[in-house]
Amino acid sequence: MKPAAFDYVLPSTIAEAVEALGEGNRRTQVLAGGQSLLLEMHLARIRPDLVVDINRLAGLDRIDVNGNEARVGALVRHRTFESADAVPGPLGRLLALAVVNIAHPPIRSRGTMAGSFAWAHPASEWCAIGLALDATVEVTSREGKRELAVRDYFLGPYRTERRADELITAVRLPLLGDEYGVGFIEHRRTHFCFAQVAVAAAVSVRDGVVADARIGLVNSADRPLRARAAERSLIGTELPPPGSGHPRGDHPFVRAGQIAAHEDAAPVAEPYGDVAYKRQALAVLVARTLTDADADRRSRAARKGEDR
Ligand SMILES: Cc1cc2nc3c(=O)[nH]c(=O)nc-3n(C[C@H](O)[C@H](O)[C@H](O)COP(=O)(O)OP(=O)(O)OC[C@H]3O[C@@H](n4cnc5c(N)ncnc54)[C@H](O)[C@@H]3O)c2cc1C
């Protein structure tokens, strides 16, 4: 199907872009990577009066690392994160583990991280990671700038705190210290599908006791989710010495998986995954992702000669 007719502008400054977005009597859409928007327009599920193409805006294609944060500009494409060095430390490794699960290379070459936060698909890998890490979304409109804490940002499927006249200029992700290990595992039907469920985890351990745990859940509710109850079950818990293979029985990671699947998650049934199936997959994936994160942490500590 062809999209309905629409007007198109290609602003060269952020001020021009937000001016166009602020035309209150028109249905506007931002064109960033176009990997969700153009599909929806072709399916006539979105019919904008005006498309504001932001691809000529200077300075939005940069990642700036300031102090404890990576500020990802609105035109940074998914594929940038395929290199773990795009962002320093464990955060760069986590983003690199996750990004290869986003669609396929042509989509990753155009699609943007900020576009994912704007679109707010429940199965977005970036959104679940943003929640787990307490990210911030920077927006600008005719009225000025706002910073939206990702913790309160997602309101439902494709619904966020951002107003339609607000342009996301950047997403700020807190860096993870070297003491963190990270893991990301996704379960999907075919390589090009969105996740049935996926899990992002970052864990730090001091003297054998979990000091911090961050768990993001993908496609485990009607919006991206953070597994706070599972995190609480881990923090302050002593980990048994690592065994071989996956943890079993009453291992804290197995318990956290059960809690994430049954207390945190509120899965929505889909044609190839009913609620019970998704909960079962989540319980297993959370335990395995935490195990991977802990192994990552231990192998890095061993390389540095630390005993943690
Ligand atoms: C076959 C296929 C498979 C996919 N698989 C996955 C997947 O597994 N995981 C995943 O996360 N995504 C997946 N995607 C979506 C892809 O990641 C998109 O790139 C992403 O959702 C949106 O980014 P974009 O830059 O392409 O945004 P666009 O398509 O340009 O825009 C999407 C929406 O966000 C708004 N928007 C975009 N940027 C901004 C901004 N800076 N400020 C304000 N509003 C903005 C637009 O107005 C529009 O409503 C898939 C897409 C396809 C077609």
Side-chain angles (χ1 to χ4, degrees):
M1 207 188 292
K2 284 191 176 162
F6 57 90
D7 290 336
Y8 170 88
V9 289
L10 185 61
S12 46
T13 64
I14 290 178
E16 284 171 25
V18 298
E19 201 52 38
L21 286 174
E23 290 182 18
N25 53 346
R26 308 183 84 187
R27 287 172 304 184
T28 54
Q29 285 287 335
V30 171
L31 176 66
Q35 299 305 301
S36 296
L37 177 64
L38 297 182
L39 180 68
E40 296 296 315
M41 287 171 62
H42 278 277
L43 294 172
R45 291 195 293 226
I46 295 184
R47 292 163 175 260
D49 301 314
L50 175 65
V51 170
V52 181
D53 184 342
I54 62 169
N55 282 276
R56 292 266 172 89
L57 299 187
L60 295 189
D61 57 352
R62 282 206 320 261
I63 301 174
D64 294 310
V65 176
N66 314 311
N68 295 328
E69 286 183 328
R71 184 177 181 277
V72 179
L75 288 174
V76 175
R77 315 286 167 180
H78 299 317
R79 68 146 194 249
T80 308
F81 301 99
E82 288 175 15
S83 160
D85 296 332
V87 173
L91 176 59
R93 296 204 301 280
L94 177 59
L95 300 176
L97 287 173
V99 70
V100 289
N101 295 284
I102 300 178
H104 44 73
I107 289 175
R108 294 202 290 272
S109 294
R110 295 296 308 163
T112 62
M113 179 183 278
S116 294
F117 278 88
W119 187 235
H121 194 295
S124 158
E125 289 82 358
W126 291 151
C127 295
I129 289 175
L131 268 174
L133 301 186
D134 281 324
T136 304
V137 174
E138 289 181 11
V139 297
T140 302
S141 71
R142 281 174 170 182
E143 291 166 24
K145 296 182 183 177
R146 290 204 296 157
E147 296 192 346
L148 307 176
V150 168
R151 142 197 302 263
D152 308 314
Y153 177 75
F154 299 108
L155 303 179
Y158 312 104
R159 288 198 306 117
T160 72
E161 280 281 341
R162 183 184 65 87
R163 299 192 314 262
D165 65 331
E166 288 179 315
L167 175 73
I168 298 180
T169 47
V171 177
R172 296 209 314 263
L173 298 168
L175 298 179
L176 290 165
D178 281 342
E179 70 277 18
Y180 282 87
V182 293
F184 188 96
I185 306 181
E186 179 153 318
H187 179 54
R188 56 188 158 170
R189 284 183 55 240
T190 74
H191 191 66
F192 302 135
C193 292
F194 280 85
Q196 281 192 306
V197 289
V199 179
V203 176
S204 74
V205 176
R206 205 169 300 128
D207 300 326
V209 173
V210 178
D212 192 19
R214 308 295 187 103
I215 306 172
L217 303 182
V218 176
N219 211 18
S220 306
D222 69 350
R223 65 197 75 179
L225 210 62
R226 179 166 175 183
R228 290 186 184 277
E231 291 175 358
R232 279 195 300 274
S233 79
L234 284 170
I235 295 170
T237 301
E238 191 168 344
L239 292 181
S244 56
H246 295 298
R248 293 176 193 284
D250 64 353
H251 191 288
F253 292 163
V254 175
R255 241 180 8 248
Q258 291 295 335
I259 293 169
H262 296 281
E263 292 181 30
D264 291 306
V268 177
E270 291 176 288
Y272 295 98
D274 63 20
V275 170
Y277 176 82
K278 284 190 174 185
R279 286 198 201 279
Q280 200 175 347
L282 268 174
V284 174
L285 251 56
V286 167
R288 290 188 178 182
T289 312
L290 288 166
T291 307
D292 281 3
D294 189 42
D296 176 53
R297 176 192 70 75
R298 280 185 289 105
S299 75
R300 283 176 195 271
R303 253 183 263 164
K304 281 167 63 184
E306 295 170 15
D307 181 17
R308 287 194 292 191

